[in-house]
Amino acid sequence: MVATSAIENPRRDAGGIMLHRLALISVIGLALTSAPSAISAADLEGAGATFPYPLYEQWFKAYSTLTQNTVSYEGVGSGEGVTAILDRSVDFGATDVFLDDGQLQSAGAPLIHIPTCLGAVAITYNLPGIPELRFTPDLIAAIFSGEVTRWNDRRIADVNPGLRFPDQAITVVHRTDASGTTHIFTDFLSGTSLRWREEVGTGNTVGWPVGQGAEGNAGLVDLVKGTEGSIGYVQYAYADAHEMPVAAIRNQAAYFIKPTVDSLTAAARVKLPDDARLMLTNTDAPDGYPITSFSYVVMWAEQKVAGQSRKDAEALVQLWWWAIHDGQALNEELGYAPLPRNAVIRAENALRMITYGGAPLNLN
């Protein structure tokens, strides 16, 4: 397969403060020595979500070191990831939004969802002198719909008592590409604001009432960082990697919660369907962060469907078997939560269902 280059990268330029962190991650990655044995070197290709890109980048580097298999991944957004797997142009598509029943039925052959990690959509902002902010769901909807337009609006002050806000316009920043991060964020807003649900709705793309657009999580980070008075939504790992502030958001239990490994894990303590297709937004867990989501990879249940060789098919399932087990050791350092045990079981069962010419594949 033709290797593709990743167009998204949350890391900073050489000499930036990410260097120490990346060195640590590399050490962790090299320590993951329990990998399946490669039959022979394989070249795998995936495309899709930018939401898990920081994690996937490190997974694939570590896995390639262990097995000599190469994994190329292009972060082009969840929508493009789904298109790529349906077009059979990649070995796996990555998406933060699972395919619905209609999409699965029209695919032409069975597809398998593998949950890979837990992540969060964070609210980040550029407001010098105010490093800590809190938001209610209604207030977020009011800002992103253009109802609240200035930082000194009383509704912001009421949620953040004791802070003095500038008389400055709010610049909303949103994604322009077909984005799973957008779907997660708008799903949360649709579930907590009737007006948002009726006027804007949920989707990988929506008709934004106000704001400036950016492509990809990295593009949104750059625009917020360069625009004083701005606010946007971004996968937490990107905000964390660039040391950007993230807001505490009020959940159903009326607690203001920030994204952390513990708060993401709390949000995922739910009963999962057999195929693990479930939105986790607006959790009722008292200690759960309310904009939490699984990220998924999607692949064909019968690998001959895409003209795949058995060698590459076997390497593909071994890659993801490793990722849902040993690979999870990298999650926390990169701003993600490891899969809960119930999700690992669902992922294991899904990988066991993948065949080549009707025969099961070797997982390790």
Side-chain angles (χ1 to χ4, degrees), residues 315-339:
L316 180 66
V317 296
Q318 289 178 358
L319 163 67
W320 291 107
W321 186 268
W322 175 87
I324 65 170
H325 294 100
D326 289 8
Q328 298 292 303
L330 288 171
N331 291 30
E332 184 172 350
E333 174 63 26
L334 287 160
Y336 301 83
L339 289 174

Side-chain angles (χ1 to χ4, degrees), residues 104-185:
L104 291 175
Q105 290 168 8
S106 64
L111 285 162
I112 295 292
H113 285 77
I114 309 294
T116 61
C117 63
L118 281 168
V121 177
I123 303 299
T124 189
Y125 48 89
N126 182 343
L127 201 60
I130 303 182
E132 299 284 339
L133 276 181
R134 306 194 305 181
F135 291 106
T136 64
D138 284 343
L139 181 54
I140 297 170
I143 291 172
F144 279 82
S145 66
E147 180 185 340
V148 171
T149 61
R150 302 196 71 79
W151 281 107
N152 63 342
D153 189 292
R154 184 171 186 83
R155 283 169 285 189
I156 297 177
D158 286 346
V159 181
N160 295 275
L163 294 180
R164 293 180 61 117
F165 290 91
D167 182 9
Q168 182 177 13
I170 298 173
T171 300
V172 169
V173 180
H174 58 75
R175 293 278 291 274
T176 57
D177 51 321
S179 160
T181 307
T182 295
H183 196 288
I184 297 163
F185 180 60

Side-chain angles (χ1 to χ4, degrees), residues 114-295:
I114 309 294
T116 61
C117 63
L118 281 168
V121 177
I123 303 299
T124 189
Y125 48 89
N126 182 343
L127 201 60
I130 303 182
E132 299 284 339
L133 276 181
R134 306 194 305 181
F135 291 106
T136 64
D138 284 343
L139 181 54
I140 297 170
I143 291 172
F144 279 82
S145 66
E147 180 185 340
V148 171
T149 61
R150 302 196 71 79
W151 281 107
N152 63 342
D153 189 292
R154 184 171 186 83
R155 283 169 285 189
I156 297 177
D158 286 346
V159 181
N160 295 275
L163 294 180
R164 293 180 61 117
F165 290 91
D167 182 9
Q168 182 177 13
I170 298 173
T171 300
V172 169
V173 180
H174 58 75
R175 293 278 291 274
T176 57
D177 51 321
S179 160
T181 307
T182 295
H183 196 288
I184 297 163
F185 180 60
T186 55
D187 181 77
F188 166 70
L189 291 181
S190 291
T192 55
S193 167
L194 176 61
R195 181 176 175 183
W196 183 276
R197 182 164 68 249
E198 292 179 344
E199 296 183 3
V200 183
T202 301
N204 286 3
T205 60
V206 296
W208 293 100
V210 295
Q212 298 182 19
E215 185 171 346
N217 275 294
L220 189 140
V221 164
D222 289 342
L223 187 51
V224 171
K225 287 188 71 174
T227 308
E228 189 171 321
S230 61
I231 186 171
Y233 61 94
V234 68
Q235 207 290 330
Y236 171 67
Y238 289 80
D240 185 46
H242 289 82
E243 295 192 332
M244 298 177 69
V246 297
I249 300 175
R250 193 178 70 186
N251 64 14
Q252 276 199 57
Y255 291 104
F256 286 92
I257 304 291
K258 280 191 170 187
T260 65
V261 170
D262 289 342
S263 66
L264 270 60
T265 301
R269 292 192 188 109
V270 295
K271 183 177 181 179
L272 288 178
D274 289 343
D275 60 11
R277 292 187 299 156
L278 182 71
M279 293 297 291
L280 299 176
T281 56
N282 200 27
T283 176
D284 59 4
D287 52 349
Y289 181 72
I291 323 182
T292 297
S293 178
F294 286 118
S295 201

